[in-house]
Amino acid sequence: MSRRPGNPGRRLANGGGIPFISSMNSRSRSSPLLSIGLVVVGAILLIGYCYSGSGGQIADREAVSRLEGAVSCTLEAQRALPVLKKAYGDSMRKVLHVGPDTCSVVSKLLKEEDTEGWGVEPYDLDDVDGTCKSLVRRGFVRVADIKYHLPYRSKSFSMVLVSDALDYLSPRYLNKTLPELARVASDGIVVFTGLPGQQRAKVSELSKFGRPAKFRSSSWWIRFFMQISLEENEGASKKFEQASIKRSYKPACQVFHLKAYP
């Protein structure tokens, strides 16, 4: 019985008998794997870009402002330092930061040209690194209960920057703490507070003040500032807004600009 001849047209259509076409068909079958590989390589390159050059700002924004869906206003204050310096100019020459993780803020301030950085840590310092220990040893950072008198003379600092601290205080203690912040400042106070409904990155779920963070609305804060005779620094607020637009900076926390007491 003779073998039935194959259909040469069919073989050609499938690329049979022509090495180049067979190779092309082989490549097309492997194209899904190639596409997946390209996607993976592209993702790696994108991540690398985010951590360098112009992408650093995007990566920094994600790392600083959101920690497992929560927000740290102290990290937000660090992000805002270039904007604050642009808005306040010479008023940033001697800055006191008040709030948790103040060592990281002070370290950053000290790297700025013509800027002195000092800090008050309202929590006990546990498991801190060598840099923080050095700042404490040299007196740049102090541990103090901010519900009471601050260990500084009046108008010791051109500016006071406070974050992640006032949200833990009841109005009773805010009545004491905010006037103290105004007392040690000569040019102004900048306050970073959480937004209502916002989840706080855990500095301590129950702080040394014995209560969880309570986020108040901007209208609540404004009324409270007026009650204790703290006026809004409208000029600085406007400059901060303009500098924020130029740097594409969008705060994840509420930012209040206040005048120091005369």
Side-chain angles (χ1 to χ4, degrees):
M1 187 172 177
S2 62
R3 180 181 297 176
R4 188 175 178 179
N7 186 341
R10 184 177 180 179
R11 288 201 304 273
L12 288 174
N14 290 332
I18 303 179
F20 178 74
I21 296 180
S22 297
S23 174
M24 291 292 291
N25 282 339
S26 175
R27 289 179 186 175
S28 67
R29 286 194 296 272
S30 64
S31 62
L33 293 176
L34 179 61
S35 299
I36 293 171
L38 289 173
V39 170
V40 172
V41 171
I44 293 172
L45 291 173
L46 181 60
I47 292 171
Y49 174 75
C50 286
Y51 280 94
S52 63
S54 60
Q57 185 178 0
I58 299 172
D60 184 62
R61 182 178 304 167
E62 293 298 326
V64 163
S65 296
R66 290 177 176 81
L67 180 61
E68 297 180 353
V71 172
S72 165
C73 288
T74 294
L75 292 175
E76 190 66 26
Q78 291 185 55
R79 275 187 62 218
L81 287 179
V83 182
L84 288 168
K85 193 159 188 179
K86 186 71 175 177
Y88 281 88
D90 291 341
S91 293
M92 291 283 288
R93 64 186 180 278
K94 190 175 183 181
V95 181
L96 173 69
H97 173 260
V98 178
D101 197 24
T102 193
C103 287
S104 61
V105 181
V106 173
S107 296
K108 203 160 187 177
L109 285 168
L110 291 173
K111 292 177 183 177
E112 296 287 332
E113 187 177 355
D114 300 325
T115 301
E116 291 184 33
W118 304 78
V120 171
E121 170 66 57
Y123 303 93
D124 293 331
L125 289 170
D126 299 318
D127 301 323
V128 295
D129 58 21
T131 300
C132 189
K133 289 178 181 177
S134 175
L135 291 171
V136 173
R137 186 173 60 251
R138 292 186 291 162
F140 286 103
V141 171
R142 296 187 183 185
V143 178
D145 191 338
I146 63 171
K147 291 183 295 185
Y148 305 105
H149 184 79
L150 292 176
Y152 302 103
R153 295 178 180 177
S154 297
K155 302 191 182 302
S156 294
F157 306 95
S158 54
M159 176 188 289
V160 172
L161 178 63
V162 58
S163 60
D164 284 329
L166 301 185
D167 292 323
Y168 291 96
L169 296 177
S170 66
R172 172 191 172 190
Y173 288 116
L174 284 172
N175 272 316
K176 298 179 180 180
T177 299
L178 278 166
E180 272 295 286
L181 298 178
R183 180 184 65 81
V184 300
S186 61
D187 293 348
I189 310 158
V190 180
V191 176
F192 284 77
T193 67
L195 290 160
Q198 195 175 66
Q199 182 184 351
R200 170 55 45 83
K202 291 184 180 179
V203 174
S204 171
E205 189 61 33
L206 283 175
S207 71
K208 69 181 289 186
F209 306 117
R211 55 186 288 134
K214 183 175 182 179
F215 304 121
R216 291 114 170 174
S217 66
S218 60
S219 59
W220 188 95
W221 281 111
I222 291 169
R223 285 196 303 269
F224 191 84
F225 294 145
M226 291 176 64
Q227 288 174 14
I228 57 175
S229 302
L230 278 176
E231 298 179 13
E232 180 188 2
N233 191 333
E234 295 181 1
S237 182
K238 187 174 181 180
K239 289 180 181 179
F240 181 83
E241 184 178 351
Q242 292 171 344
S244 296
I245 293 172
K246 287 182 179 180
R247 291 180 173 268
S248 300
Y249 168 71
K250 295 181 180 180
C253 297
Q254 298 182 96
V255 185
F256 299 98
H257 305 267
L258 305 170
K259 295 180 180 179
Y261 286 143

